[in-house]
Amino acid sequence: MHNELTQKDIQMMKEELDYRRITLRPKLLEAVKEARGFGDLSENFEYKAAKQEKNRNEGRIRFLENMIKTAVVVSDTSASDAVGLYDKVTVYLEEDDETETYQVVTTMCQDALHGLISKESPVGKALLGKKAGDRVHIQVNEGYGYDVVIRTIEKAQDDGSVPLNSY
């Protein structure tokens, strides 16, 4: 499996990796050593918490390394009047008589609660390449789909202002 990421995504992931390896890892190892010195490990909350934090950091390092290793670099190739990667799109939801604004991003930056939708999600896939005024059908699953009308498209670029997901 390949992860479709922008060059900026990869750069931000490398910066996080450097921070976690060079700065955070030694601090967390020291915290584990210090907590170990507090005595009986079976009842030592500080030791368990420090060990858990160290393991969380190591897991994130492995995750980022794997994402970078399997990455396929993508860029926005959309027309100037069509929805592309990192563009902000205002849509009218006909069923609900509501307007929503989304920004189409890579999977590493998605956060649906804040309007950041993955280009690989049903909404992202349906919107990419469409133009203002287009009626778009979004098929969520086999049994459910809905229509939206694209009201506006605000062109944008991957400038690093959208943070990477953590887990």
Side-chain angles (χ1 to χ4, degrees):
M1 182 181 137
H2 296 288
N3 301 296
E4 293 184 348
L5 305 169
T6 64
Q7 194 61 47
K8 190 71 175 173
D9 287 339
I10 294 171
Q11 177 190 339
M12 289 169 57
M13 289 176 14
K14 286 179 178 178
E15 289 170 4
E16 183 180 342
L17 259 176
D18 287 345
Y19 167 75
R20 288 182 174 278
R21 286 180 183 149
I22 297 166
T23 306
L24 195 55
R25 183 183 272 163
K27 287 180 185 176
L28 294 174
L29 287 171
E30 186 59 36
V32 169
K33 270 193 235 177
E34 185 178 315
R36 189 177 294 146
F38 292 156
D40 182 10
L41 297 183
S42 65
E43 295 180 14
N44 187 336
F45 174 77
E46 289 84 2
Y47 175 75
K48 289 178 183 174
K51 190 96 166 140
Q52 186 177 41
E53 191 60 34
K54 179 189 102 35
N55 290 341
R56 190 173 304 134
N57 186 56
E58 295 301 320
R60 180 69 176 178
I61 288 171
R62 285 189 302 276
F63 172 77
L64 291 170
E65 288 172 338
N66 187 50
M67 290 296 288
I68 292 168
K69 183 173 66 175
T70 61
V72 172
V73 178
V74 294
S75 58
D76 182 24
T77 57
S78 65
S80 62
D81 61 345
V83 177
L85 197 55
Y86 283 90
D87 292 347
K88 291 183 181 176
V89 184
T90 302
V91 298
Y92 174 69
L93 298 137
E94 295 176 327
E95 274 184 22
D96 301 331
D97 192 30
E98 291 180 2
T99 302
E100 299 263 338
T101 299
Y102 303 115
Q103 185 171 14
V104 182
V105 297
T106 60
T107 303
M108 273 304 290
C109 297
Q110 72 183 0
D111 183 354
L113 295 176
H114 293 99
L116 303 171
I117 57 166
S118 167
K119 68 184 217 61
E120 294 153 14
S121 70
V123 176
K125 283 181 189 175
L127 292 177
L128 282 174
K130 302 298 190 286
K131 297 179 180 184
D134 285 355
R135 170 179 263 106
V136 180
H137 182 73
I138 298 169
Q139 192 66 40
V140 177
N141 59 34
E142 287 182 29
Y144 180 71
Y146 60 97
D147 292 326
V148 299
V149 176
I150 298 175
R151 292 272 169 94
T152 62
I153 301 169
E154 182 184 328
K155 297 304 276 182
Q157 293 181 343
D158 184 11
D159 59 5
S161 62
V162 178
L164 295 175
N165 282 344
S166 58
Y167 59 85

